[in-house]
Amino acid sequence: MKRIAIFASGTGSNFDAIIQAVDEGKLDCEIELLVCDRSNAPVIEKAQAKNIDTFIFRAKNYSDKAAYEQEILNICREKEIEWIFLAGYMRLIGPTLLKPFESRIVNIHPSLLPAFPGKDAIGQAFDKQVKITGVTIHFVDNGMDTGPIIEQEAVRIEAADTKATLQKKIQAIEHRLYPSVIHSLLVEEEVK
Ligand code: GRF
């Protein structure tokens, strides 16, 4: 079975959706590790409740990105991690992790990239009054939300939508789409 790590900084609703898909037998993999850069992030309790190992770090305690990413890399190697999935991880990934995990780090973003990269993509789309936004799953490169796109799903912003209702719609797509794309990536690799 494929061994994966999830990197997250916040609530962890996508982390939960991935765990649920594994529990329901829709996704065949071992979630070996949660990497989190915020010691008070709710996602940590979610991992602990499922007995998933966590590596929690403070970037400030390291000299630079290469230093903390080297420590993450060592743990990933120890745990024989094959894929990394970002789920609300609020840091750019540097070459220390990108090189050894080339085309094996995937991110989910709540807009139809290349529109609305960066923070608060849902708010950006809402404020611009676009009629269609959505969710993108893409490989991670050295830019912000710029890597090759794997999958996208659109959602229409209705006149009655508020930012909150739009967020709900986007999250519902994310929680269905991410586990199913992860499943496809792992299965495709299996048959190669
Ligand atoms: C999601 O909207 C994801 O697309 C973005 O960050 C958010 C994380 O939400 N990258 P959660 O912590 O999984 O609830």
Side-chain angles (χ1 to χ4, degrees), residues 31-46:
I31 306 169
E32 287 292 330
L33 177 68
L34 169 75
V35 171
C36 182
D37 62 333
R38 291 188 190 164
S39 55
N40 58 352
V43 68
I44 294 169
E45 277 178 22
K46 291 176 174 148

Side-chain angles (χ1 to χ4, degrees), residues 10-15 87-90 107-110 122 171 174-175:
T11 315
S13 67
N14 282 282
F15 178 77
Y89 180 67
M90 300 303 284
N107 182 40
I108 184 162
H109 183 78
I122 298 172
Q171 282 178 334
E174 289 192 330
H175 299 163

Side-chain angles (χ1 to χ4, degrees), residues 143-160:
M144 196 197 298
D145 303 322
T146 49
I149 290 172
I150 302 167
E151 186 57 284
Q152 291 187 303
E153 193 169 313
V155 61
R156 176 165 281 278
I157 304 180
E158 307 289 352

Side-chain angles (χ1 to χ4, degrees), residues 35-72:
V35 171
C36 182
D37 62 333
R38 291 188 190 164
S39 55
N40 58 352
V43 68
I44 294 169
E45 277 178 22
K46 291 176 174 148
Q48 286 166 348
K50 284 284 179 180
N51 284 322
I52 294 169
D53 286 350
T54 56
F55 175 65
I56 302 153
F57 71 98
R58 272 193 75 168
K60 277 189 190 157
N61 294 343
Y62 294 81
S63 51
D64 55 15
K65 187 189 288 283
Y68 66 72
E69 286 198 341
Q70 185 59 52
E71 192 161 348
I72 295 172

Side-chain angles (χ1 to χ4, degrees), residues 4-188:
I4 72 165
I6 297 173
F7 290 20
S9 304
T11 315
S13 67
N14 282 282
F15 178 77
D16 253 351
I18 295 166
I19 289 176
Q20 206 181 316
V22 172
D23 285 350
E24 288 170 0
K26 294 177 184 162
L27 171 57
D28 206 17
C29 67
E30 299 275 6
I31 306 169
E32 287 292 330
L33 177 68
L34 169 75
V35 171
C36 182
D37 62 333
R38 291 188 190 164
S39 55
N40 58 352
V43 68
I44 294 169
E45 277 178 22
K46 291 176 174 148
Q48 286 166 348
K50 284 284 179 180
N51 284 322
I52 294 169
D53 286 350
T54 56
F55 175 65
I56 302 153
F57 71 98
R58 272 193 75 168
K60 277 189 190 157
N61 294 343
Y62 294 81
S63 51
D64 55 15
K65 187 189 288 283
Y68 66 72
E69 286 198 341
Q70 185 59 52
E71 192 161 348
I72 295 172
L73 180 61
N74 294 344
I75 296 168
C76 285
R77 286 196 166 135
E78 226 169 76
K79 293 186 163 294
E80 299 178 3
I81 300 296
E82 295 161 277
W83 287 82
I84 293 171
F85 295 98
L86 310 186
Y89 180 67
M90 300 303 284
R91 292 180 179 276
L92 289 179
I93 304 286
T96 310
L97 281 169
L98 275 177
K99 276 189 200 142
F101 279 95
E102 203 195 338
S103 299
R104 284 173 173 277
I105 307 180
V106 173
N107 182 40
I108 184 162
H109 183 78
S111 76
L112 292 178
L113 290 172
F116 311 122
K119 281 188 189 161
D120 192 22
I122 298 172
Q124 291 185 56
F126 192 76
D127 293 345
K128 276 278 176 212
Q129 301 185 332
V130 295
K131 299 298 174 200
I132 294 182
T133 184
V135 172
T136 302
I137 296 170
H138 65 95
F139 288 109
V140 172
D141 65 8
N142 58 7
M144 196 197 298
D145 303 322
T146 49
I149 290 172
I150 302 167
E151 186 57 284
Q152 291 187 303
E153 193 169 313
V155 61
R156 176 165 281 278
I157 304 180
E158 307 289 352
D161 271 323
T162 60
K163 201 177 142 184
T165 61
L166 178 60
Q167 184 171 355
K168 269 199 167 177
K169 288 184 193 174
I170 295 227
Q171 282 178 334
I173 295 173
E174 289 192 330
H175 299 163
R176 172 173 46 73
L177 199 61
Y178 209 10
S180 103
V181 168
I182 294 173
H183 177 75
S184 302
L185 287 168
L186 301 185
V187 168
E188 274 166 30

